[in-house]
Amino acid sequence: DTTLRVDYILALFPDAHFVAIHRDPCTVISSIINGWRDPDGRFRAYYMPETLNIPNYNHQHRWCFTLIPGWRDLKSKTIPEIAFHQWAAYARGLANARNTISPGKLTEIRMNELLDSPDATIRSLVERLSLPISEKTLAAMLNRAKIRINSTDAGPQVGWRAHNAAAIKPMLPLIAQHAKCFGFSVDTQTGDSYPADYSVEPVSSSN
């Protein structure tokens, strides 16, 4: 959700260099869905001034994750619909950020690049950011990057199919439209995602 706060961050840190790490689109949306359904309520971030009537959600005044623009239009939608709209808002924020952040101050990588080639990806990132890091610290970072948390050896595209396939598959055409912003091409039938050129076109807010 940092993509929605770029102007604020730049006001505090005008010379900030932003690093955006993009995950498989369906996996992100699935994670948001799971967060809304978390039994311990770890992601209930906001107390709401209006009553929420979200199906199968028993907290009428607690909103999870980012309170995105237009949230009032979503207060009676299903959790998967809200999750999609939150993710789509991040896509619009990223598109706007590319026009706001100074050239050379935004570095974008995909999560699968970090998982598949942690050494090359981290070394490239350190060089791009001109970070004064010792070889010892760099070695520790590389070792840490090999440890997967909240993931599986089967890969990131497996989890959403195991938990939220029925909810996500009907949204695949819309997901595919927004995925281009994050540098992914999504198959509208299967949900498979592939690296693609980053789209610089504005993302519609109508979907």
Side-chain angles (χ1 to χ4, degrees), residues 103-145:
K105 290 291 188 178
L106 173 63
T107 297
E108 300 185 68
I109 62 176
R110 300 176 186 85
M111 178 65 78
N112 62 290
E113 296 169 354
L114 184 60
L115 294 175
D116 296 341
S117 304
D119 192 306
T121 303
I122 290 178
R123 288 184 182 276
S124 175
L125 185 59
V126 168
E127 181 179 354
R128 178 77 179 268
L129 299 178
S130 300
L131 296 176
I133 295 179
S134 67
E135 283 298 320
K136 180 179 180 180
T137 300
L138 182 58
M141 291 173 60
L142 293 173
N143 287 332
R144 186 68 178 175

Side-chain angles (χ1 to χ4, degrees), residues 112-192:
N112 62 290
E113 296 169 354
L114 184 60
L115 294 175
D116 296 341
S117 304
D119 192 306
T121 303
I122 290 178
R123 288 184 182 276
S124 175
L125 185 59
V126 168
E127 181 179 354
R128 178 77 179 268
L129 299 178
S130 300
L131 296 176
I133 295 179
S134 67
E135 283 298 320
K136 180 179 180 180
T137 300
L138 182 58
M141 291 173 60
L142 293 173
N143 287 332
R144 186 68 178 175
K146 297 175 183 177
I147 303 174
R148 294 192 178 189
I149 300 175
N150 294 332
S151 183
T152 67
D153 292 336
Q157 296 195 43
V158 174
W160 72 267
R161 289 187 171 91
H163 300 286
N164 295 303
I168 289 176
K169 283 185 176 180
M171 299 188 294
L172 286 176
L174 290 176
I175 293 172
Q177 292 178 25
H178 292 72
K180 299 174 183 178
C181 185
F182 296 106
F184 287 96
S185 174
V186 172
D187 188 302
T188 58
Q189 299 299 316
T190 67
D192 291 339

